Amino acid sequence: MQATKAAIQKITGINIATPKGFYASGLHCGVKHKKLDLGLLYSVKPANAAGVYTTNQVQAAPLKITQNSILQEGKLQAIIVNSGNANACTGKKGLADAESMQLQTAQKLDIPSHYVGVASTGVIGEHLPMDKISAGIEKLVLDSELKGSIDFAQAILTTDTVSKNTAYSLKINDINITIAGTAKGSGMIHPNMATMLGFITTDAAINQDDLHSALRYAVERTFNCITVDGDTSTNDMVLMLANGMGENEELNKNHPEWELFLEALVLVCEDLGKLIAKDGEGASKLIEVNVLGAKTEKEARIIAKTVVGSPLVKTAVFGCDANWGRIIAAAGYSGVKFNPDAVRILIGEDEVVVDGEPVPFSEEKVRTYLKSHEIHITVIMSEGNGNGRAWGCDLTYDYVQINASYRT
Amino acid sequence: MQATKAAIQKITGINIATPKGFYASGLHCGVKHKKLDLGLLYSVKPANAAGVYTTNQVQAAPLKITQNSILQEGKLQAIIVNSGNANACTGKKGLADAESMQLQTAQKLDIPSHYVGVASTGVIGEHLPMDKISAGIEKLVLDSELKGSIDFAQAILTTDTVSKNTAYSLKINDINITIAGTAKGSGMIHPNMATMLGFITTDAAINQDDLHSALRYAVERTFNCITVDGDTSTNDMVLMLANGMGENEELNKNHPEWELFLEALVLVCEDLGKLIAKDGEGASKLIEVNVLGAKTEKEARIIAKTVVGSPLVKTAVFGCDANWGRIIAAAGYSGVKFNPDAVRILIGEDEVVVDGEPVPFSEEKVRTYLKSHEIHITVIMSEGNGNGRAWGCDLTYDYVQINASYRT
């Protein structure tokens, strides 16, 4: 797919509201102490919508509402999100609260209520302060694309330290279309889709069914390949809205530029996934694990995820310790079969294991490399042609501190 | 099985060498800087032997040697163990080194080499300093039961802060028999059987095949239900030796007192498992999770293990934070199906969730409870009669510190 990359351009500035016809907004309504905690995303036209949801059986109320709403027509025109409270494990009242957020937003925008998606993130098991949320929805005003994008991206954060945005443009039949995304997620991040929310907008016209499979394809290779702490949350969701205002010839699986579109979508999701991993709770480094030569792509991803999720690998990276034994041990318990005697491991550019055995390397050089902000670990097997990547972060004192006192 | 418990007595003092005919020994040979690092366990008669091994595909050399040796006659008479170096990922030289440890020990004791089990624990990927090991084996002398037991238990430790021992006696047809155990393990502890070594001795006469199934039964419910950090090591092994010197009528699955024996064996393994969890790297508290009312015993254990292994639950316990939302979220991603709306959760004696929703509780009381050294979390479902337990520890700053700098 390399050859096509030139056709995809990264866009800086503005973000979630970059694609034509999208507006956003964010404000502080009082769920959190001071920071923005309520966001609204809006498309001037109803958009084809696709969602991917947490695999946790305990599913928060807003996810149920959003899933059911998309099922009705496959469309959304707005998304209302709060942070600071997950509205999870909140029973019937929780469902009623999510419904009431949806209804109030729909009335305000004068659209059908099933055109409004609802998302929440934050503490589990407390009822939403509906008076504050409701007053907040009343106050929301759709801002300029720039201010709206910035505020929206802020309003969805919890323990994140930075907001996470990206956008790309590409030409479909010589017409410029744009894909943008914003996400949040910092702890309880694990395949599949832990406390993370992702919102993707595009002005491309896309067939409704194929939009869903495109999103699944991209999420499988990006968001589902990041891990911070192995905990899978009750609230994760990636929603994608395609409003067709780019007026391209409708994209579908058989369109000659479908692959190009998929590639751009993967880039959007990969950027967001890496931003989440890098901002993992307490993280000081992004870790990328590349597995080459596994039997299949899927097996390569499983091994990569297991290595990048190992607390011992994570602490070793934090401590700048080239402890490759933990890397091979993690690969070994990934559940994927491979020949350990044919494994080669690189930390950065340096070979540390060949044929399953250690080789001499400069401890000093590798230790210096491990002080970088982005660490690449490569595991090369000889099982086949399956390559896969996963992203995570180091495990630090700060992770413990953040999570020992999150609720109180 | 409660009624039978009175028939099983805990024994204090002495340990791994308590059962008749067992001797042990330990010394410092120089793999580690200062602490004891070489141990020998010996039975005056060849003992029926059973082993349970790591599920990690990357299996250390000593495990391969031991497995093959037991396969020959189902017997062992001695076990040689070193700590400080795992002899894992060490290729052909590693295998030759393990064989040479076995052979030298066999020659010293004048027994067939396949009667000697070999175990190693410590850093992965470095070759054993065979000169030191060999000189150490030469120096080993079988000590008095007490001194030998203490030294052996010390010699197998790595980052453990205490040695881990237990013993029970019971009557089989009015004859007193004894089961004793010692174990090590502190990090890389996870079902199934992470960097942990367990050695169990008994003077009971037991049918060889049934000994193996008894050990599997006990390990499944104890060692495989502990987790420190989710990492499964390359070196884990539990070996059990039954030398028959108690001269009881041979135990087998159909013996009327088979259940009693199983129960005592589970007690030995449970004590050791809990000692390991409590001494988890950096741990300040033992956490026991009880799951009641799951569909099956096995499903209950899976849920219990997932909850006790969640980094977010572990950090919350460290921070004395009654964050039950993380408990129900972990149960939800365990992979076991259950109705989340029928779940009840207790922290200590205090109900915090009923029917999947929070109930009012005294934050102050639960916070005080969470300051204890042993924390009990109970998750009650309404799926069936399956009960199961798992043990772990809190996740602390010290875990990060220990593992950021283990190798260097």
Side-chain angles (χ1 to χ4, degrees):
Chain A
M1 303 225 278
Q2 289 301 329
T4 58
K5 279 213 174 148
I8 301 173
Q9 299 292 328
K10 180 146 187 161
I11 308 173
T12 50
I14 311 187
N15 276 105
I16 191 71
T18 299
K20 289 194 194 77
F22 284 97
Y23 293 89
S25 177
L27 54 69
H28 168 74
C29 77
V31 185
K32 294 200 283 197
H33 185 54
K34 268 171 78 175
K35 294 184 179 165
L36 303 198
D37 50 17
L38 188 70
L40 175 66
L41 180 66
Y42 174 73
S43 165
V44 297
K45 283 194 182 173
N48 282 343
V52 179
Y53 308 92
T54 184
T55 56
N56 196 313
Q57 287 177 72
V58 180
Q59 229 183 40
L63 272 75
K64 293 176 186 164
I65 300 292
T66 303
Q67 266 177 296
N68 286 336
S69 299
I70 295 183
L71 280 177
Q72 293 194 43
E73 282 188 61
K75 286 188 190 295
L76 288 180
Q77 194 169 354
I79 299 171
I80 182 85
V81 197
N82 75 278
S83 59
N85 181 317
N87 193 10
C89 305
T90 44
K92 282 178 192 155
K93 173 150 171 40
L95 271 178
D97 288 347
E99 253 167 3
S100 135
M101 282 173 74
Q102 181 184 46
L103 186 65
Q104 194 188 342
T105 307
Q107 283 170 344
K108 182 186 170 87
L109 299 168
D110 197 20
I111 58 177
S113 63
H114 67 273
Y115 277 12
V116 179
V118 185
S120 296
T121 177
V123 177
I124 298 175
E126 290 175 13
H127 291 299
L128 285 173
M130 283 307 291
D131 49 338
K132 293 174 183 170
I133 300 259
S134 173
I137 295 175
E138 221 37 63
K139 266 187 258 165
L140 280 167
V141 183
L142 293 168
D143 279 305
S144 73
E145 286 90 335
L146 178 61
K147 179 172 187 324
S149 292
I150 293 172
D151 289 351
F152 180 83
Q154 289 286 342
I156 65 175
L157 307 181
T158 53
T159 51
D160 307 61
T161 65
V162 292
S163 64
K164 297 160 181 77
N165 300 290
T166 192
Y168 288 87
S169 75
L170 69 159
K171 281 196 197 303
I172 302 291
N173 297 125
D174 273 333
I175 294 193
N176 240 333
I177 66 125
T178 309
I179 312 178
T182 187
K184 65 82 46 175
S186 181
M188 228 193 227
I189 299 293
H190 192 63
N192 297 295
M193 310 223 358
T195 302
M196 59 132 296
L197 295 174
F199 303 103
I200 299 163
T201 53
T202 179
D203 45 25
I206 312 168
N207 170 281
Q208 202 168 281
D209 291 343
D210 294 341
L211 175 67
H212 189 75
S213 49
L215 183 62
R216 284 217 76 87
Y217 176 92
V219 166
E220 191 53 42
R221 282 154 184 78
T222 56
F223 290 118
N224 282 352
C225 289
I226 58 174
T227 180
V228 168
D229 54 19
D231 272 282
T232 302
S233 116
T234 51
N235 285 56
D236 306 330
M237 170 158 63
V238 175
L239 292 176
M240 179 164 179
L241 272 59
N243 69 8
M245 291 176 71
E247 300 190 332
N248 57 296
E249 183 183 271
E250 189 185 73
L251 283 163
N252 62 46
K253 277 185 180 161
N254 304 315
H255 192 284
E257 277 155 323
W258 178 250
E259 292 291 325
L260 185 71
F261 174 77
L262 263 191
E263 195 181 326
L265 181 58
V266 167
L267 285 174
V268 167
C269 294
E270 185 179 315
D271 280 1
L272 295 175
K274 283 162 84 169
L275 286 167
I276 289 174
K278 190 168 189 169
D279 195 29
E281 285 176 346
S284 71
K285 296 165 197 178
L286 174 72
I287 309 175
E288 174 171 315
V289 176
N290 258 278
V291 173
L292 308 175
K295 214 190 303 169
T296 63
E297 257 194 46
K298 196 174 170 190
E299 291 197 351
R301 284 199 298 270
I302 292 171
I303 296 167
K305 281 192 258 188
T306 308
V307 172
V308 88
S310 153
L312 290 172
V313 171
K314 290 154 67 71
T315 43
V317 170
F318 172 57
C320 301
D321 178 8
N323 197 325
W324 58 267
R326 295 178 178 177
I327 299 169
I328 199 167
Y333 69 74
S334 66
V336 173
K337 290 217 165 153
F338 63 89
N339 176 9
D341 296 330
V343 167
R344 208 171 126 221
I345 297 176
L346 285 84
I347 298 178
E349 309 270 295
D350 287 276
E351 258 185 357
V352 294
V353 172
V354 174
D355 295 338
E357 284 188 59
V359 289
F361 61 92
S362 159
E363 287 272 354
E364 200 38 47
K365 186 171 164 226
V366 176
R367 172 171 290 274
T368 304
Y369 172 73
L370 287 170
K371 290 179 183 161
S372 335
H373 288 297
E374 198 169 320
I375 305 302
H376 289 255
I377 294 170
T378 311
V379 179
I380 305 168
M381 322 203 138
S382 50
E383 310 297 317
N385 299 314
N387 300 342
R389 284 180 300 166
W391 298 272
C393 58
D394 55 344
L395 173 57
T396 69
Y397 298 115
D398 288 349
Y399 176 83
V400 177
Q401 183 175 31
I402 290 166
N403 283 299
S405 57
Y406 178 62
R407 208 179 50 105
T408 45
Chain B
M1 301 225 280
Q2 288 302 326
T4 57
K5 277 212 173 149
I8 301 172
Q9 299 290 329
K10 180 145 188 163
I11 307 173
T12 50
I14 311 188
N15 277 106
I16 192 69
T18 299
K20 288 193 194 82
F22 284 97
Y23 293 89
S25 178
L27 53 70
H28 168 74
C29 76
V31 185
K32 293 200 283 197
H33 185 55
K34 267 172 77 175
K35 294 184 180 167
L36 303 198
D37 51 16
L38 188 70
L40 175 66
L41 180 64
Y42 174 73
S43 165
V44 298
K45 283 195 182 171
N48 282 342
V52 179
Y53 309 92
T54 183
T55 56
N56 197 313
Q57 286 177 76
V58 181
Q59 229 182 41
L63 271 74
K64 293 176 185 163
I65 300 293
T66 303
Q67 266 178 297
N68 286 337
S69 299
I70 294 183
L71 280 177
Q72 293 194 43
E73 282 187 62
K75 285 186 191 295
L76 288 180
Q77 195 170 355
I79 300 170
I80 183 85
V81 197
N82 76 276
S83 59
N85 181 318
N87 193 11
C89 304
T90 44
K92 282 179 191 155
K93 172 147 171 42
L95 271 178
D97 288 347
E99 252 167 6
S100 136
M101 281 174 75
Q102 181 185 46
L103 186 66
Q104 195 188 342
T105 307
Q107 283 169 344
K108 181 186 170 89
L109 298 169
D110 197 21
I111 59 177
S113 63
H114 67 273
Y115 277 12
V116 179
V118 185
S120 296
T121 177
V123 177
I124 298 176
E126 291 175 12
H127 290 300
L128 283 174
M130 283 308 291
D131 49 338
K132 293 174 183 172
I133 299 260
S134 172
I137 294 175
E138 221 36 65
K139 265 188 258 164
L140 279 166
V141 183
L142 294 168
D143 279 305
S144 74
E145 286 90 334
L146 179 60
K147 181 174 186 322
S149 292
I150 292 172
D151 289 351
F152 180 83
Q154 289 285 343
I156 65 175
L157 306 182
T158 54
T159 52
D160 308 62
T161 65
V162 291
S163 63
K164 297 160 182 76
N165 300 289
T166 193
Y168 287 86
S169 75
L170 69 161
K171 280 194 197 303
I172 302 290
N173 298 125
D174 273 333
I175 293 190
N176 241 332
I177 67 123
T178 308
I179 312 178
T182 188
K184 67 79 47 173
S186 180
M188 230 194 226
I189 297 294
H190 192 63
N192 299 293
M193 311 222 358
T195 304
M196 40 123 325
L197 295 174
F199 303 105
I200 299 162
T201 52
T202 179
D203 44 25
I206 311 168
N207 169 280
Q208 203 167 282
D209 290 342
D210 294 341
L211 176 67
H212 189 76
S213 48
L215 183 62
R216 283 215 77 86
Y217 176 91
V219 166
E220 191 53 42
R221 281 156 185 77
T222 56
F223 290 119
N224 281 353
C225 289
I226 59 175
T227 180
V228 168
D229 54 19
D231 271 283
T232 302
S233 115
T234 51
N235 285 57
D236 306 330
M237 170 158 61
V238 176
L239 293 175
M240 179 164 180
L241 273 58
N243 69 6
M245 292 178 71
E247 301 191 328
N248 56 296
E249 185 184 87
E250 189 183 74
L251 282 165
N252 62 47
K253 276 185 181 162
N254 304 315
H255 192 285
E257 276 154 326
W258 178 250
E259 290 292 324
L260 184 71
F261 174 77
L262 263 191
E263 195 180 328
L265 181 59
V266 168
L267 285 174
V268 167
C269 295
E270 184 178 316
D271 279 2
L272 296 175
K274 284 161 83 168
L275 286 165
I276 288 173
K278 191 169 187 165
D279 194 29
E281 284 174 347
S284 71
K285 296 165 197 176
L286 174 71
I287 309 175
E288 174 171 316
V289 176
N290 257 278
V291 174
L292 309 175
K295 215 192 298 171
T296 62
E297 258 195 46
K298 197 175 170 189
E299 291 198 350
R301 284 199 297 270
I302 292 172
I303 297 166
K305 281 193 257 187
T306 308
V307 172
V308 87
S310 154
L312 290 172
V313 171
K314 290 154 66 74
T315 43
V317 169
F318 172 55
C320 301
D321 178 7
N323 197 325
W324 58 267
R326 295 177 177 176
I327 299 169
I328 198 166
Y333 68 73
S334 66
V336 174
K337 289 219 165 149
F338 63 89
N339 175 7
D341 297 330
V343 167
R344 210 171 125 218
I345 297 177
L346 285 85
I347 298 178
E349 309 270 295
D350 287 275
E351 257 183 357
V352 292
V353 172
V354 174
D355 294 340
E357 285 188 59
V359 289
F361 62 91
S362 160
E363 287 274 354
E364 200 38 48
K365 189 175 163 221
V366 176
R367 172 169 289 273
T368 304
Y369 172 74
L370 287 169
K371 291 181 181 159
S372 334
H373 288 297
E374 198 169 320
I375 305 301
H376 289 255
I377 293 170
T378 310
V379 180
I380 305 168
M381 320 201 137
S382 49
E383 309 297 317
N385 298 313
N387 300 340
R389 283 180 299 165
W391 299 272
C393 57
D394 53 344
L395 173 57
T396 68
Y397 299 115
D398 288 350
Y399 176 84
V400 177
Q401 182 175 32
I402 291 166
N403 283 299
S405 58
Y406 178 63
R407 209 177 51 106
T408 44

